[in-house]
Amino acid sequence: MTQLIARHEAISQKDCFTSLAMTNHKNISKSMNTNKTIAQQKRLSFLDQYLTLWIFLAMGIGVSIGYFIPSSANYINSFSNGTTNIPLAIGLILMMYPPLTKVKFGKIPTLFNNKKLLFVSFFITWIVGPLLMFFLAITFLKDYPDYMTGLIIIGLAPCIAMVIVWNELAGGNREYVAGLVGINSILQVLFFSVYAYFFLEIMLPFFGIQALNIDITIGEIAKTVGVYLGIPFALAVFSKLVLTKTKGEEWFNRKFIPAISPITLIALLFTIVVMFSLKGQMIVDIPFDVVRIAIPLVIFFAIMFTLTFFASKFFGADYAQNAAISFTASGNNFELAIAVAIGVFGINSGQAFAGVIGPLVEVPALILLVKFAYYLKTKLY
């Protein structure tokens, strides 16, 4: 009996030591994986920490090209089809393609289970946003009716292009922003003309300002949305389906995505250089007009982002969801606004100028909001 008890104790001790060894092995493996993840994050942050500098350098290069080589704007505009500038369109499409390839489209429907959060997102984006831009426009630009009208048009539709990049840079939820962008693109195709009628023909006279009539069809809006959103979405879905089927999902995630990821930054810098070169001479010649348009835009970005971020946090959004919602609400569809302004008022109109200045202000403003988002993450999450 004594021998049996001793044997049982020996076996128990052996099991205990085995269990302890396995636990230690798991902890060591977990620690190694954690350290590896931290090292990767540090390496990524080191590569990306000068992003703001690259963006401001690209802005400076663009302005310099536009000012010192005045013919550059006409040359770039020669590659246009209607109101679509081909170099800009290529830059935007390439910029959006890598983040969209990372989207797990099957997860999108499950992300919208929080109906209150979804309602808050669309309420701020589609009700608060256009009203805020309208009041900022008539407050700051009432004496400059062309610029005022251009600013109101900018506020009528949320961003469906560069928001994907800002969300990516801020570590936002890719699936959530893809879902929001998809829904917003459909809504602006359906309701942009209605919004234009309401704000320019009903709201302006209500504040003693002459009404304006904008005639733009759903087809024209759908064309713009299709170019800047439909093409990169289709490319992302097609490449993901084909490559995961032929090469496998592991190869796609480990090889293909890291290989194409730098395209986003390169295309972003290219797009910024092109945008600023197109209006480089005007920025230098009439800087005060640029500032007049920039002031209400900066206020808009700041209010929309801060309001949305805190509202989303209150209604239960995690940080990744919050970043996606906040950047979606803050940005505007400048591509559509510029197309409408050029189509209705002409390429040399004040409305078109305001539309072009919009993204020039948005780029530095939203890159600063990316940093602000990370600051809020450390404080609120």
Side-chain angles (χ1 to χ4, degrees):
M1 184 71 177
T2 305
Q3 291 177 344
L4 287 172
I5 293 171
R7 186 179 178 187
H8 176 74
E9 288 178 351
I11 293 171
S12 298
Q13 287 178 351
K14 184 179 179 182
D15 290 343
C16 181
F17 283 125
T18 302
S19 176
L20 182 62
M22 289 178 67
T23 303
N24 286 337
H25 177 72
K26 288 179 181 179
N27 288 336
I28 291 168
S29 298
K30 184 177 180 181
S31 177
M32 289 175 65
N33 289 334
T34 302
N35 290 336
K36 185 179 179 182
T37 302
I38 292 170
Q40 287 174 342
Q41 289 174 343
K42 287 182 178 178
R43 186 161 63 248
L44 285 172
S45 63
F46 175 76
L47 292 172
D48 292 339
Q49 64 181 325
Y50 297 113
L51 177 61
T52 306
L53 174 62
W54 308 144
I55 286 174
F56 280 97
L57 281 175
M59 290 162 58
I61 291 170
V63 171
S64 300
I65 291 173
Y67 182 72
F68 292 109
I69 312 175
S71 60
S72 61
N74 290 331
Y75 178 75
I76 294 170
N77 281 324
S78 67
F79 299 96
S80 296
N81 181 13
T83 58
T84 302
N85 185 290
I86 304 300
L88 276 179
I90 292 172
L92 287 166
I93 290 166
L94 289 175
M95 187 171 60
M96 294 165 61
Y97 172 67
L100 287 172
T101 59
K102 301 172 187 176
V103 172
K104 295 177 175 63
F105 293 99
K107 288 185 177 181
I108 292 176
T110 62
L111 295 172
F112 298 116
N113 293 332
N114 188 337
K115 299 296 189 297
K116 290 182 180 179
L117 184 61
L118 194 62
F119 172 78
V120 167
S121 170
F122 288 121
F123 180 80
I124 295 176
T125 301
W126 284 98
I127 304 299
V128 177
L131 283 171
L132 176 61
M133 189 70 89
F134 176 84
F135 285 114
L136 288 171
I138 65 173
T139 300
F140 286 91
L141 298 170
K142 191 173 183 179
D143 296 330
Y144 302 88
D146 289 353
Y147 296 162
M148 179 191 68
T149 306
L151 208 66
I152 293 171
I153 294 172
I154 288 171
L156 297 181
C159 183
I160 59 170
M162 293 187 77
V163 61
I164 293 171
V165 178
W166 305 131
N167 176 74
E168 187 79 3
L169 295 176
N173 189 310
R174 298 185 187 111
E175 288 73 30
Y176 211 96
V177 80
L180 291 176
V181 163
I183 296 170
N184 284 334
S185 63
I186 295 170
L187 290 176
Q188 59 191 257
V189 168
L190 297 175
F191 296 114
F192 186 89
S193 300
V194 177
Y195 267 52
Y197 172 80
F198 175 75
F199 282 101
L200 296 177
E201 296 195 41
I202 295 176
M203 289 290 285
L204 281 181
F206 189 76
F207 288 89
I209 304 171
Q210 185 178 356
L212 289 169
N213 179 33
I214 289 184
D215 184 21
I216 181 167
T217 65
I218 289 178
E220 291 171 313
I221 300 168
K223 179 184 175 183
T224 303
V225 172
V227 169
Y228 293 106
L229 180 62
I231 293 175
F233 252 109
L235 288 173
V237 172
F238 178 77
S239 59
K240 192 165 190 174
L241 287 173
V242 172
L243 291 175
T244 52
K245 188 175 181 179
T246 56
K247 293 284 190 177
E249 189 169 350
E250 186 176 353
W251 181 90
F252 183 83
N253 291 326
R254 291 182 177 273
K255 297 290 185 181
F256 183 72
I257 287 179
I260 64 169
S261 290
I263 294 174
T264 296
L265 177 56
I266 296 168
L268 173 62
L269 296 176
F270 167 78
T271 304
I272 291 169
V273 170
V274 173
M275 284 195 304
F276 278 80
S277 64
L278 286 171
K279 294 296 177 184
Q281 191 166 11
M282 295 187 74
I283 290 171
V284 177
D285 290 342
I286 49 174
F288 293 110
D289 285 44
V290 175
V291 173
R292 284 190 188 96
I293 297 168
I295 290 172
L297 281 170
V298 170
I299 295 172
F300 175 85
F301 296 140
I303 291 176
M304 287 294 289
F305 184 87
T306 306
L307 171 65
T308 309
F309 200 96
F310 282 97
S312 299
K313 178 70 170 69
F314 179 80
F315 283 97
D318 60 37
Y319 170 75
Q321 290 175 333
N322 206 336
I325 294 168
S326 299
F327 280 104
T328 301
S330 304
N332 297 103
N333 190 343
F334 289 103
E335 299 81 18
L336 179 57
I338 292 169
V340 171
I342 292 174
V344 176
F345 301 102
I347 193 168
N348 296 315
S349 64
Q351 290 87 347
F353 180 70
V356 172
I357 294 301
L360 307 188
V361 178
E362 182 188 51
V363 168
L366 265 70
I367 196 64
L368 293 176
L369 286 177
V370 168
K371 293 183 175 294
F372 185 51
Y374 279 117
Y375 170 80
L376 291 176
K377 182 182 180 181
T378 62
K379 296 297 181 182
L380 300 178
Y381 291 94

